Amino acid sequence: MQQSHVFVQACMTCIGLFCVSVAAIWPAPLEYQHGSNVLWLSPDVHTIYKLQNDLKEDWFTATLRQLFKPAAQQASLSINDSAIPSSEEILKATIERMKNNVFSSNFVPWKFNPRNSDFEPVVDDSRKFINYILIEENMNLKRYQAMGKDVSDESYTLRINTDGAVIINIIDPVGGIRALDSLAQLFYRHSAPDAGVYTPLAPAIIRDSPAFAHRGLNLDISRNYISPTHVLRTIDAMSFNKLNHLHLHASDAQSWPLEIPALPLLARNGAYHRSLTWTVADLHHLQTYALYRGVSVYLEIDLPGHTASIASAYPSLITALNEQPSWQTFSAEPPSGELLLNSTSVTTFLHTLLSDLLPRISPFSPYFHTGGDEINPNAHLLDPTVLSNSTSILQPLLQSFYERIHALVRAHGLTPIVWEETLLDWNLTFPANSVIIQTWRSPTALARVVAQGHKALFGDHQHWYLDCGYGGWLDPLPHDKSTKIVPPYVDYCGPLKNWRQIYAYDPLAGIPKDQRHLVLGGEVHLWAETTDGVNLDSKLWPRAAAAAEVMWSGGKGAAGVNEDVTRRLAEMRERMVERGIAANVVQMEWCLQNVGGCML
């Protein structure tokens, strides 16, 4: 459910004899007011943590103990109760990251002030310091019982008093993560050696909560290999921008990097190289790392299409495998290949696959994505169990296919997510509230899905596909005068979606008010045909940050694109760069130093 975010800020704050151009927090808080006094953050700042609830134990720890340990045992990982983090441990780790970001990965904001201006406070013995941060968590039994594992309360209140006290009020430790990320954005590094960091914005008060519960990034790690190390860095950037769901598109036609112990040949034969795999330990480390940063990791195994890589290990399960040169008759991109639709061998394979994988997903996410996009009927002309491309024959087979796998997904306490085609093209029937439909082909698809009473995610390719606009990646057939691969070699979804286009997307435009509660949130997408770990950061950031504000603060449409947004995003970009994220430039430095000078 979207709520209106309004924040108050000054364009220029003057403190004594110097003035500093102030940018607000990214993403924009629900309410934000600040003053113009300077406070310095003490390197010895200490944290006071107060848990105020009527539970017999830390609710966060209790929930994880129930969910985390059984899955770890199933994955043959050594996990004991002492390894399950408590709320306090989560927040202590967040405090340490915040301090590292503020003291070691901060920046001098010269870009955001006029050239040669005196924008920094005086460093002398009269400085006032912030010496402690008080975090108060208040969870009651009634609220705990009402919350499912797919719900966390990310709301927080943050106050900085002029006496140097910082007080944070939260309900859930994830709210503490969000509050501390906001707090870090209020501080700047002073250019004088060893002077430390300061905020020119005291007193300040922030009251904040997200407009949408589901704020995700869909990252393809299979078309080109993207290593766990690169994804860990992506999780850091997601947390900075208050994104909370990482959707890993973990397999596709081109490769299968994900290790499945029950089916060891999948990754051994299906990965591009035996060194380019994701082990069970890799995935578990990533999930735990994300947990500490308020990010839930869930996987997609796209079915029944986009599955040609399975043939590297189990060729008898796949039809229309790598049909050349006519692959486009059977698939959206090469290599072609889909699972047989009426095969007991496929049923057994999927049961083995999901029985291995789902227990390792369920402690860390409420979701599992079962795909369903771009199913090509022609592939089943070659399917010995079907031998037809007729919708009337394929539709009931797909209905049975999804009923079987979704029953297994739900048996593990997970909610299935599927692509929109399953509902809108194949007219599959899903029980009420049993699935989430992810839309991608047009803005109107979202309206069609919720009109049928289904929960939905937004993020269509016209607005939020970050791979679009870089040009096609297919080569022309030699001596084929009818080839479609001709100058200027565009891709199907160009032009490139720059950050303003992404920010201007209002997902609820055209959605009736009485159906908006079905819009859980959205995801921004990066498919990896031309992306790997080298250019990952620049493809994602700062454009994914623009999507993050739409999902946290609500869409404002084209009217919301203005200089203030540019300056705030440019400042967030500086912070990401200092923290090791190779984000692209937002704006020319002259424009940032000359407020109002780059408008037309």
Side-chain angles (χ1 to χ4, degrees), residues 566-578:
T566 300
R567 294 179 63 80
R568 289 191 298 110
L569 183 57
E571 183 172 310
M572 172 53 88
R573 185 261 178 180
E574 294 301 307
R575 295 189 186 278
M576 285 195 287
V577 169
E578 289 295 326

Side-chain angles (χ1 to χ4, degrees), residues 335-497:
S336 60
E338 297 194 4
L339 285 169
L340 306 180
L341 271 187
N342 196 19
S343 165
T344 56
S345 296
V346 168
T347 301
T348 301
F349 167 81
L350 291 176
H351 189 277
T352 302
L353 168 66
L354 296 178
S355 295
D356 180 300
L357 186 56
L358 295 177
R360 295 189 278 119
I361 303 303
S362 60
F364 299 97
S365 175
Y367 307 129
F368 184 77
H369 204 308
T370 58
D373 64 316
E374 298 179 330
I375 300 169
N376 192 308
N378 290 334
H380 299 283
L381 287 168
L382 307 181
D383 180 344
T385 70
V386 179
L387 298 175
S388 176
N389 65 353
S390 169
T391 301
S392 63
I393 292 174
L394 296 177
Q395 196 274 349
L397 292 173
L398 282 169
Q399 182 73 48
S400 297
F401 180 92
Y402 274 104
E403 286 175 357
R404 286 192 299 272
I405 60 175
H406 284 181
L408 190 56
V409 171
R410 284 191 285 271
H412 286 83
L414 295 164
T415 298
I417 301 178
V418 291
W419 293 108
E420 64 176 68
E421 291 98 315
T422 56
L423 179 72
L424 300 182
D425 293 0
W426 291 100
N427 299 312
L428 299 189
T429 301
F430 300 113
N433 297 316
S434 69
V435 300
I436 297 168
I437 310 296
Q438 184 158 29
T439 61
W440 71 275
R441 292 181 297 179
S442 72
T444 59
L446 183 66
R448 293 173 62 196
V449 168
V450 297
Q452 295 188 43
H454 288 287
K455 296 177 181 178
L457 300 176
F458 54 77
D460 66 83
H461 76 78
Q462 297 177 25
H463 295 90
W464 279 15
Y465 268 34
L466 302 181
D467 52 298
C468 294
Y470 288 90
W473 47 271
L474 292 167
D475 290 317
L477 282 167
H479 315 300
D480 184 356
K481 294 183 179 180
S482 64
T483 180
K484 298 178 182 178
I485 310 304
V486 296
Y489 304 107
V490 297
D491 54 35
Y492 83 97
C493 56
L496 184 141
K497 279 59 179 165

Side-chain angles (χ1 to χ4, degrees), residues 128-351:
K128 287 186 178 181
F129 284 88
I130 295 171
N131 292 304
Y132 75 91
I133 299 171
L134 171 63
I135 301 177
E136 297 181 316
E137 180 184 342
N138 192 337
M139 168 63 74
N140 60 60
L141 181 61
K142 182 178 180 180
R143 185 174 184 85
Y144 168 64
Q145 292 173 335
M147 288 174 64
K149 67 170 180 167
D150 58 337
V151 177
S152 64
D153 193 323
E154 299 177 88
S155 64
Y156 66 90
T157 299
L158 166 64
R159 286 176 288 162
I160 301 179
N161 298 333
T162 51
D163 63 1
V166 174
I167 302 170
I168 295 172
N169 295 100
I170 58 174
I171 295 171
D172 184 308
V174 180
I177 295 172
R178 307 300 178 228
L180 290 165
D181 277 330
S182 293
L183 178 63
Q185 291 186 53
L186 299 178
F187 290 92
Y188 303 90
R189 180 168 60 85
H190 199 284
S191 62
D194 302 319
V197 297
Y198 66 94
T199 177
L201 305 171
I205 183 165
I206 299 170
R207 296 184 180 92
D208 205 5
S209 60
F212 293 100
H214 187 114
R215 306 179 308 283
L217 165 65
N218 170 26
L219 180 60
D220 174 8
I221 61 171
S222 56
R223 285 183 172 88
N224 277 309
Y225 176 74
I226 297 177
S227 73
T229 299
H230 292 304
V231 180
L232 291 172
R233 188 175 66 252
T234 299
I235 289 170
D236 284 333
M238 290 178 66
S239 184
F240 302 155
N241 288 279
K242 299 184 174 67
L243 291 169
N244 66 345
H245 287 281
L246 176 58
H247 164 186
L248 287 180
H249 185 82
S251 66
D252 212 287
Q254 294 79 11
S255 83
W256 187 291
L258 189 66
E259 181 182 282
I260 305 294
L263 298 164
L265 292 180
L266 270 178
R268 187 181 305 166
N269 295 355
Y272 281 124
H273 187 270
R274 291 190 181 185
S275 65
L276 304 180
T277 60
W278 281 57
T279 68
V280 170
D282 288 335
L283 178 59
H284 182 266
H285 175 60
L286 188 93
Q287 292 166 312
T288 307
Y289 187 90
L291 173 70
Y292 273 87
R293 288 153 181 80
V295 177
S296 168
V297 177
Y298 75 95
L299 268 60
E300 176 186 358
I301 302 296
D302 205 349
L303 303 167
H306 294 272
T307 48
S309 60
I310 292 173
S312 298
Y314 304 98
S316 64
L317 304 182
I318 301 297
T319 183
L321 177 63
N322 195 23
E323 293 290 332
Q324 294 288 354
S326 57
W327 59 265
Q328 60 185 323
T329 302
F330 304 100
S331 63
E333 63 182 41
S336 60
E338 297 194 4
L339 285 169
L340 306 180
L341 271 187
N342 196 19
S343 165
T344 56
S345 296
V346 168
T347 301
T348 301
F349 167 81
L350 291 176
H351 189 277

Side-chain angles (χ1 to χ4, degrees), residues 532-588:
D532 62 10
V534 175
N535 65 347
L536 176 64
D537 287 6
S538 61
K539 284 281 191 76
L540 283 174
W541 312 104
R543 294 185 297 155
E549 176 151 309
V550 172
M551 290 185 277
W552 181 272
S553 308
K556 301 173 182 63
V561 177
N562 55 48
E563 186 181 33
D564 165 69
V565 175
T566 300
R567 294 179 63 80
R568 289 191 298 110
L569 183 57
E571 183 172 310
M572 172 53 88
R573 185 261 178 180
E574 294 301 307
R575 295 189 186 278
M576 285 195 287
V577 169
E578 289 295 326
R579 297 172 187 181
I581 310 299
N584 268 338
V585 170
V586 172
Q587 178 62 290
M588 184 167 57

Side-chain angles (χ1 to χ4, degrees), residues 493-524:
C493 56
L496 184 141
K497 279 59 179 165
N498 62 60
W499 74 260
R500 289 181 176 86
Q501 167 74 354
I502 290 166
Y503 192 87
Y505 174 47
D506 182 359
L508 295 183
I511 306 297
K513 289 184 178 180
D514 63 349
Q515 295 173 4
R516 291 182 178 182
H517 67 283
L518 295 169
V519 181
L520 303 182
E523 293 183 353
V524 61

